[in-house]
Amino acid sequence: MKFDIRPTANPVSEKDRAARLVDPGFGRVFTDHMAIVRYTQGKGWHDARVESRANFPLDPAMAVLHYAQEIFEGLKAYRRDDGGVNLFRPDANARRFRQSADRMAMAQLPESVFIDAVEQVVRIDRAWIPGGEGSLYLRPFMIASEVFLGVKPSSEYIFAVIASSVGSYFKGGPAPVSIWVSENYTRAAIGGTGAVKCGGNYAASLRAQAEAIEHGCDQVVFLDAVERRYIEELGGMNVFFAFDDGSLLTPPLGTILPGITRDSIIALARDAGTRVREEPYTIDQWRADAASGRLKEAFACGTAAVISPIGKVRSTSGDFLINGGAAGPVAMGLRKQLVDIQYGRAADPHNWIVKVF
Ligand SMILES: *Cc1c(COP(=O)(O)O)cnc(C)c1O
């Protein structure tokens, strides 16, 4: 599929762009362009374009607005010291996007079109990639665009890629996060959409996240929906536990989102000879292991923040600290290893990097 490339007639001036890149934060500074591809049943994918970032015309009866048939992805472009630009495992995002589409009964976008769209946006908006520990966050997504109020899979879709300049997630190194154990809400059940990157999962997590904030915590951690005792993941990040025998544990796939950061950490740890178990782990065991000293560290991981150490866990049964509430060497070591690969400062033994420039 060939993209029709139409550079914007009104790019943001160099001066304004430089001002916006000083402290971009996350998800507020957008680039000049977007990629867009349309799907119509019977015709397939068509009208691939890279054009000025602009509003979508939204009919009020568009299916996505009523029945939430929507999926998304998140990945980053990193500026290397030599001025080139890296993507990290875009093929994994493309594959997961197809799996998400399948679960949500949406049209499946060929992985090559997904990757091409992402690369086109990085190419045309490369000036928006901040230097240093900043990056360009790419947000591919797909919405059901048929105008129809009947409940059925849409016959039309819009796939688009937008991009946002983001700063270092943590100024001055990752600060440990405090997490609230949700007892009132669950995130996913067997047979549901927990393993799918769909907007609806996030909508359903916001009440629990608000409860975490009411309890003075940064993030919520969800337990399984059946026994309500196995750790699943945070609202948007997977979780790892590091023990005194040097091993790592992370909850198994199934109802959790199969994170690419999670998968990469497992691979890097195993490369180093670390034993990594993908096994269920209960909140009671977590508390007991933190008390006995068997548990050394816990951390959350995802594309946006890479690795966030967990310093404190709070629930209705009380609080406990991990590693005295401080970031530990396992989390920080893995974080540095991963970030160095992403920015092209270290060898890439698994061929995860795609050089756009
Ligand atoms: C995206 C996401 C993650 C992290 O996935 P990465 O591929 O590592 O960015 C974890 N949990 C949820 C619920 C997510 O949506």
Side-chain angles (χ1 to χ4, degrees), residues 18-62:
R20 290 182 207 182
L21 291 187
V22 172
D23 186 14
F26 182 86
R28 292 193 188 279
V29 173
F30 295 101
T31 65
D32 288 314
H33 298 87
M34 63 181 183
I36 180 159
V37 191
R38 288 168 191 279
Y39 177 89
T40 311
Q41 207 166 40
K43 188 171 174 187
W45 292 98
H46 58 91
D47 274 343
R49 294 202 297 252
V50 175
E51 61 189 18
S52 219
R53 185 178 178 281
N55 292 347
F56 288 154
L58 286 184
D59 187 289
M62 203 182 248

CSV table of all heavy atoms in Angstrom, one decimal, residues 18-62:
chain,number,residue,atom,x,y,z
A,18,ALA,N,10.4,24.7,19.1
A,18,ALA,CA,11.5,24.7,20.1
A,18,ALA,C,11.0,25.0,21.5
A,18,ALA,O,11.3,24.4,22.4
A,18,ALA,CB,12.6,25.7,19.7
A,19,ALA,N,10.1,26.0,21.5
A,19,ALA,CA,9.5,26.4,22.8
A,19,ALA,C,8.6,25.2,23.4
A,19,ALA,O,8.7,24.9,24.6
A,19,ALA,CB,8.6,27.6,22.7
A,20,ARG,N,7.9,24.5,22.5
A,20,ARG,CA,7.1,23.4,23.0
A,20,ARG,C,7.9,22.2,23.4
A,20,ARG,O,7.4,21.4,24.2
A,20,ARG,CB,6.1,23.0,21.9
A,20,ARG,CG,5.0,24.1,21.7
A,20,ARG,CD,4.0,23.6,20.6
A,20,ARG,NE,3.4,24.8,20.0
A,20,ARG,CZ,2.5,24.7,19.1
A,20,ARG,NH1,2.0,23.5,18.7
A,20,ARG,NH2,2.0,25.8,18.5
A,21,LEU,N,9.1,22.1,22.9
A,21,LEU,CA,9.9,21.0,23.2
A,21,LEU,C,10.8,21.1,24.5
A,21,LEU,O,11.4,20.2,24.9
A,21,LEU,CB,10.9,20.6,22.0
A,21,LEU,CG,10.2,20.1,20.8
A,21,LEU,CD1,11.2,19.6,19.7
A,21,LEU,CD2,9.2,18.9,21.1
A,22,VAL,N,10.7,22.3,25.1
A,22,VAL,CA,11.5,22.6,26.3
A,22,VAL,C,11.1,21.6,27.4
A,22,VAL,O,11.9,21.0,28.0
A,22,VAL,CB,11.4,24.0,26.7
A,22,VAL,CG1,12.1,24.2,28.1
A,22,VAL,CG2,12.1,25.0,25.7
A,23,ASP,N,9.8,21.6,27.7
A,23,ASP,CA,9.3,20.7,28.8
A,23,ASP,C,8.0,20.1,28.3
A,23,ASP,O,6.9,20.5,28.8
A,23,ASP,CB,9.2,21.6,30.1
A,23,ASP,CG,8.8,20.7,31.3
A,23,ASP,OD1,8.9,19.5,31.2
A,23,ASP,OD2,8.4,21.3,32.3
A,24,PRO,N,8.0,19.2,27.4
A,24,PRO,CA,6.8,18.8,26.8
A,24,PRO,C,5.8,17.9,27.6
A,24,PRO,O,4.6,17.8,27.3
A,24,PRO,CB,7.2,17.9,25.6
A,24,PRO,CG,8.6,17.4,25.9
A,24,PRO,CD,9.2,18.5,26.8
A,25,GLY,N,6.3,17.4,28.7
A,25,GLY,CA,5.5,16.5,29.6
A,25,GLY,C,5.1,15.3,28.8
A,25,GLY,O,5.9,14.8,27.9
A,26,PHE,N,3.9,14.8,29.0
A,26,PHE,CA,3.4,13.6,28.3
A,26,PHE,C,2.0,13.8,27.6
A,26,PHE,O,1.1,14.1,28.3
A,26,PHE,CB,3.3,12.3,29.2
A,26,PHE,CG,2.9,11.1,28.5
A,26,PHE,CD1,3.9,10.3,27.8
A,26,PHE,CD2,1.6,10.7,28.4
A,26,PHE,CE1,3.5,9.2,27.1
A,26,PHE,CE2,1.2,9.6,27.7
A,26,PHE,CZ,2.1,8.8,27.0
A,27,GLY,N,2.0,13.6,26.3
A,27,GLY,CA,0.7,13.6,25.6
A,27,GLY,C,0.0,14.9,25.4
A,27,GLY,O,-1.2,14.9,25.1
A,28,ARG,N,0.7,16.0,25.4
A,28,ARG,CA,0.1,17.3,25.2
A,28,ARG,C,0.6,18.0,24.0
A,28,ARG,O,-0.1,18.9,23.4
A,28,ARG,CB,0.2,18.2,26.4
A,28,ARG,CG,-0.6,17.7,27.6
A,28,ARG,CD,-0.6,18.7,28.7
A,28,ARG,NE,-1.2,18.2,29.9
A,28,ARG,CZ,-2.5,18.0,30.1
A,28,ARG,NH1,-3.4,18.4,29.2
A,28,ARG,NH2,-3.0,17.5,31.2
A,29,VAL,N,1.9,17.7,23.6
A,29,VAL,CA,2.5,18.4,22.5
A,29,VAL,C,2.4,17.5,21.3
A,29,VAL,O,2.9,16.4,21.3
A,29,VAL,CB,4.0,18.7,22.8
A,29,VAL,CG1,4.6,19.3,21.6
A,29,VAL,CG2,4.1,19.7,24.0
A,30,PHE,N,1.7,17.9,20.3
A,30,PHE,CA,1.5,17.1,19.1
A,30,PHE,C,2.2,17.6,17.9
A,30,PHE,O,2.5,18.8,17.8
A,30,PHE,CB,0.0,16.9,18.8
A,30,PHE,CG,-0.8,16.2,19.9
A,30,PHE,CD1,-1.5,16.9,20.8
A,30,PHE,CD2,-0.7,14.8,20.0
A,30,PHE,CE1,-2.2,16.3,21.8
A,30,PHE,CE2,-1.3,14.2,21.0
A,30,PHE,CZ,-2.0,14.9,22.0
A,31,THR,N,2.5,16.7,17.0
A,31,THR,CA,3.3,17.1,15.8
A,31,THR,C,2.4,17.6,14.7
A,31,THR,O,1.2,17.8,14.8
A,31,THR,CB,4.1,15.9,15.3
A,31,THR,OG1,3.1,14.9,14.8
A,31,THR,CG2,4.9,15.2,16.4
A,32,ASP,N,3.0,18.0,13.5
A,32,ASP,CA,2.3,18.6,12.5
A,32,ASP,C,1.4,17.7,11.6
A,32,ASP,O,0.5,18.1,11.0
A,32,ASP,CB,3.3,19.3,11.5
A,32,ASP,CG,4.0,20.5,12.0
A,32,ASP,OD1,3.2,21.3,12.6
A,32,ASP,OD2,5.2,20.6,11.9
A,33,HIS,N,1.8,16.4,11.6
A,33,HIS,CA,1.1,15.5,10.7
A,33,HIS,C,0.5,14.3,11.4
A,33,HIS,O,0.7,14.0,12.5
A,33,HIS,CB,2.2,14.9,9.6
A,33,HIS,CG,2.7,16.0,8.8
A,33,HIS,ND1,3.8,16.7,9.2
A,33,HIS,CD2,2.4,16.5,7.6
A,33,HIS,CE1,4.1,17.7,8.3
A,33,HIS,NE2,3.2,17.6,7.3
A,34,MET,N,-0.3,13.5,10.6
A,34,MET,CA,-0.8,12.2,11.0
A,34,MET,C,-0.9,11.3,9.8
A,34,MET,O,-0.9,11.8,8.6
A,34,MET,CB,-2.2,12.3,11.7
A,34,MET,CG,-3.3,12.9,10.7
A,34,MET,SD,-4.8,13.0,11.6
A,34,MET,CE,-5.9,13.5,10.3
A,35,ALA,N,-0.9,10.0,10.0
A,35,ALA,CA,-1.1,9.1,8.9
A,35,ALA,C,-2.5,8.6,9.1
A,35,ALA,O,-3.0,8.4,10.2
A,35,ALA,CB,-0.1,7.9,9.0
A,36,ILE,N,-3.2,8.3,8.0
A,36,ILE,CA,-4.6,7.8,8.1
A,36,ILE,C,-4.8,6.8,6.9
A,36,ILE,O,-4.3,7.0,5.8
A,36,ILE,CB,-5.5,9.0,8.1
A,36,ILE,CG1,-7.0,8.6,8.2
A,36,ILE,CG2,-5.3,9.9,7.0
A,36,ILE,CD1,-7.9,9.7,8.7
A,37,VAL,N,-5.5,5.7,7.3
A,37,VAL,CA,-5.9,4.7,6.3
A,37,VAL,C,-7.4,4.3,6.6
A,37,VAL,O,-7.7,4.2,7.7
A,37,VAL,CB,-5.0,3.4,6.3
A,37,VAL,CG1,-5.3,2.6,5.1
A,37,VAL,CG2,-3.5,3.8,6.4
A,38,ARG,N,-8.1,4.2,5.5
A,38,ARG,CA,-9.6,3.9,5.7
A,38,ARG,C,-9.9,2.4,5.3
A,38,ARG,O,-9.2,1.9,4.4
A,38,ARG,CB,-10.5,4.8,4.9
A,38,ARG,CG,-10.5,6.2,5.6
A,38,ARG,CD,-11.1,7.2,4.7
A,38,ARG,NE,-10.8,8.5,5.2
A,38,ARG,CZ,-11.5,9.1,6.2
A,38,ARG,NH1,-12.6,8.5,6.7
A,38,ARG,NH2,-11.2,10.3,6.7
A,39,TYR,N,-10.9,1.9,5.9
A,39,TYR,CA,-11.3,0.5,5.6
A,39,TYR,C,-12.8,0.5,5.3
A,39,TYR,O,-13.6,1.1,6.0
A,39,TYR,CB,-11.1,-0.5,6.7
A,39,TYR,CG,-11.6,-1.8,6.4
A,39,TYR,CD1,-10.8,-2.8,5.8
A,39,TYR,CD2,-12.9,-2.2,6.8
A,39,TYR,CE1,-11.2,-4.1,5.5
A,39,TYR,CE2,-13.3,-3.5,6.5
A,39,TYR,CZ,-12.5,-4.4,5.9
A,39,TYR,OH,-13.0,-5.7,5.6
A,40,THR,N,-13.2,-0.1,4.2
A,40,THR,CA,-14.6,-0.3,3.9
A,40,THR,C,-14.8,-1.7,3.5
A,40,THR,O,-14.0,-2.3,2.7
A,40,THR,CB,-15.0,0.6,2.7
A,40,THR,OG1,-14.6,1.9,3.0
A,40,THR,CG2,-16.6,0.6,2.5
A,41,GLN,N,-15.8,-2.3,4.1
A,41,GLN,CA,-16.1,-3.8,3.8
A,41,GLN,C,-16.3,-3.9,2.3
A,41,GLN,O,-17.0,-3.1,1.7
A,41,GLN,CB,-17.4,-4.2,4.6
A,41,GLN,CG,-17.4,-5.6,4.9
A,41,GLN,CD,-18.5,-5.9,5.9
A,41,GLN,OE1,-19.6,-5.4,5.9
A,41,GLN,NE2,-18.2,-6.8,6.8
A,42,GLY,N,-15.7,-4.9,1.7
A,42,GLY,CA,-15.9,-5.2,0.3
A,42,GLY,C,-14.8,-4.5,-0.5
A,42,GLY,O,-14.4,-5.0,-1.6
A,43,LYS,N,-14.3,-3.4,0.0
A,43,LYS,CA,-13.2,-2.6,-0.7
A,43,LYS,C,-11.9,-2.8,-0.1
A,43,LYS,O,-10.8,-2.7,-0.7
A,43,LYS,CB,-13.6,-1.2,-0.7
A,43,LYS,CG,-12.8,-0.2,-1.5
A,43,LYS,CD,-13.4,1.2,-1.5
A,43,LYS,CE,-12.6,2.2,-2.2
A,43,LYS,NZ,-13.1,3.5,-2.1
A,44,GLY,N,-11.9,-3.1,1.3
A,44,GLY,CA,-10.6,-3.3,2.0
A,44,GLY,C,-10.0,-2.0,2.4
A,44,GLY,O,-10.7,-1.0,2.5
A,45,TRP,N,-8.7,-2.0,2.7
A,45,TRP,CA,-8.0,-0.8,3.1
A,45,TRP,C,-7.7,0.1,1.9
A,45,TRP,O,-7.2,-0.4,0.9
A,45,TRP,CB,-6.7,-1.2,3.8
A,45,TRP,CG,-7.0,-1.9,5.2
A,45,TRP,CD1,-7.0,-3.3,5.4
A,45,TRP,CD2,-7.3,-1.3,6.4
A,45,TRP,NE1,-7.3,-3.5,6.7
A,45,TRP,CE2,-7.5,-2.3,7.3
A,45,TRP,CE3,-7.5,0.0,6.8
A,45,TRP,CZ2,-7.9,-2.1,8.7
A,45,TRP,CZ3,-7.8,0.3,8.1
A,45,TRP,CH2,-8.0,-0.8,9.0
A,46,HIS,N,-7.9,1.4,2.1
A,46,HIS,CA,-7.7,2.3,1.0
A,46,HIS,C,-7.4,3.7,1.5
A,46,HIS,O,-7.5,4.0,2.7
A,46,HIS,CB,-8.9,2.3,0.1
A,46,HIS,CG,-10.2,2.7,0.8
A,46,HIS,ND1,-10.6,4.0,0.8
A,46,HIS,CD2,-11.1,1.9,1.4
A,46,HIS,CE1,-11.8,4.0,1.5
A,46,HIS,NE2,-12.1,2.8,1.9
A,47,ASP,N,-7.1,4.6,0.6
A,47,ASP,CA,-6.9,6.0,0.9
A,47,ASP,C,-5.8,6.2,2.0
A,47,ASP,O,-6.0,7.0,2.9
A,47,ASP,CB,-8.2,6.7,1.3
A,47,ASP,CG,-9.0,7.2,0.2
A,47,ASP,OD1,-8.4,7.3,-0.9
A,47,ASP,OD2,-10.2,7.5,0.3
A,48,ALA,N,-4.7,5.6,1.8
A,48,ALA,CA,-3.6,5.8,2.8
A,48,ALA,C,-2.9,7.1,2.5
A,48,ALA,O,-2.5,7.4,1.4
A,48,ALA,CB,-2.5,4.7,2.6
A,49,ARG,N,-2.9,8.0,3.6
A,49,ARG,CA,-2.4,9.3,3.4
A,49,ARG,C,-1.5,9.7,4.6
A,49,ARG,O,-1.8,9.3,5.8
A,49,ARG,CB,-3.5,10.3,3.3
A,49,ARG,CG,-4.4,10.2,2.1
A,49,ARG,CD,-5.1,11.5,1.8
A,49,ARG,NE,-6.0,11.8,2.8
A,49,ARG,CZ,-7.3,11.7,2.7
A,49,ARG,NH1,-7.9,11.3,1.6
A,49,ARG,NH2,-8.1,12.0,3.7
A,50,VAL,N,-0.6,10.6,4.4
A,50,VAL,CA,0.1,11.3,5.5
A,50,VAL,C,-0.2,12.8,5.2
A,50,VAL,O,0.0,13.3,4.1
A,50,VAL,CB,1.6,11.1,5.5
A,50,VAL,CG1,2.3,11.9,6.5
A,50,VAL,CG2,2.0,9.6,5.6
A,51,GLU,N,-0.9,13.4,6.2
A,51,GLU,CA,-1.4,14.8,5.9
A,51,GLU,C,-1.3,15.6,7.2
A,51,GLU,O,-1.0,15.1,8.3
A,51,GLU,CB,-2.8,14.7,5.4
A,51,GLU,CG,-3.8,14.0,6.3
A,51,GLU,CD,-5.1,13.7,5.7
A,51,GLU,OE1,-5.3,13.8,4.5
A,51,GLU,OE2,-6.1,13.5,6.5
A,52,SER,N,-1.8,16.8,7.1
A,52,SER,CA,-1.9,17.7,8.2
A,52,SER,C,-2.7,17.1,9.3
A,52,SER,O,-3.7,16.5,9.1
A,52,SER,CB,-2.6,19.0,7.7
A,52,SER,OG,-2.1,20.1,8.2
A,53,ARG,N,-2.2,17.2,10.6
A,53,ARG,CA,-3.0,16.7,11.7
A,53,ARG,C,-4.2,17.6,11.8
A,53,ARG,O,-4.1,18.8,11.8
A,53,ARG,CB,-2.2,16.8,13.0
A,53,ARG,CG,-2.9,16.2,14.2
A,53,ARG,CD,-2.0,16.3,15.4
A,53,ARG,NE,-2.7,15.8,16.6
A,53,ARG,CZ,-3.6,16.5,17.3
A,53,ARG,NH1,-3.9,17.7,16.9
A,53,ARG,NH2,-4.2,15.9,18.3
A,54,ALA,N,-5.4,17.0,11.8
A,54,ALA,CA,-6.6,17.8,11.8
A,54,ALA,C,-7.7,17.0,12.5
A,54,ALA,O,-7.6,15.8,12.7
A,54,ALA,CB,-7.0,18.1,10.3
A,55,ASN,N,-8.8,17.7,12.7
A,55,ASN,CA,-10.0,17.1,13.3
A,55,ASN,C,-10.6,16.0,12.4
A,55,ASN,O,-10.5,16.2,11.2
A,55,ASN,CB,-11.1,18.1,13.6
A,55,ASN,CG,-10.8,19.0,14.7
A,55,ASN,OD1,-9.8,18.8,15.4
A,55,ASN,ND2,-11.5,20.1,14.8
A,56,PHE,N,-11.2,14.9,13.0
A,56,PHE,CA,-12.0,14.0,12.2
A,56,PHE,C,-13.4,14.6,12.1
A,56,PHE,O,-13.9,15.0,13.1
A,56,PHE,CB,-12.1,12.7,12.9
A,56,PHE,CG,-10.8,11.8,12.9
A,56,PHE,CD1,-10.6,10.9,13.9
A,56,PHE,CD2,-9.9,12.0,11.9
A,56,PHE,CE1,-9.5,10.1,13.9
A,56,PHE,CE2,-8.7,11.2,12.0
A,56,PHE,CZ,-8.5,10.3,13.0
A,57,PRO,N,-14.0,14.4,10.9
A,57,PRO,CA,-15.5,14.7,10.9
A,57,PRO,C,-16.1,13.5,11.6
A,57,PRO,O,-15.9,12.3,11.3
A,57,PRO,CB,-15.8,14.7,9.4
A,57,PRO,CG,-14.6,14.2,8.7
A,57,PRO,CD,-13.5,14.0,9.6
A,58,LEU,N,-16.9,13.8,12.7
A,58,LEU,CA,-17.5,12.7,13.5
A,58,LEU,C,-19.1,12.8,13.4
A,58,LEU,O,-19.7,13.7,13.9
A,58,LEU,CB,-17.2,12.8,14.9
A,58,LEU,CG,-15.8,12.4,15.4
A,58,LEU,CD1,-15.6,12.5,16.9
A,58,LEU,CD2,-15.4,11.0,14.9
A,59,ASP,N,-19.7,11.9,12.6
A,59,ASP,CA,-21.1,11.8,12.7
A,59,ASP,C,-21.5,11.4,14.1
A,59,ASP,O,-20.9,10.4,14.6
A,59,ASP,CB,-21.6,10.8,11.6
A,59,ASP,CG,-23.1,10.8,11.5
A,59,ASP,OD1,-23.8,10.3,12.4
A,59,ASP,OD2,-23.6,11.3,10.5
A,60,PRO,N,-22.6,12.0,14.7
A,60,PRO,CA,-22.9,11.6,16.0
A,60,PRO,C,-23.4,10.2,16.2
A,60,PRO,O,-23.5,9.6,17.3
A,60,PRO,CB,-24.1,12.6,16.4
A,60,PRO,CG,-24.2,13.5,15.3
A,60,PRO,CD,-23.3,13.1,14.2
A,61,ALA,N,-23.7,9.5,15.1
A,61,ALA,CA,-24.1,8.1,15.1
A,61,ALA,C,-23.0,7.1,14.8
A,61,ALA,O,-23.2,5.9,14.6
A,61,ALA,CB,-25.3,7.8,14.2
A,62,MET,N,-21.8,7.7,14.8
A,62,MET,CA,-20.6,6.8,14.4
A,62,MET,C,-20.5,5.7,15.5
A,62,MET,O,-20.6,6.0,16.7
A,62,MET,CB,-19.4,7.6,14.4
A,62,MET,CG,-18.2,7.0,13.6
A,62,MET,SD,-16.8,8.1,13.6
A,62,MET,CE,-16.8,8.7,11.9
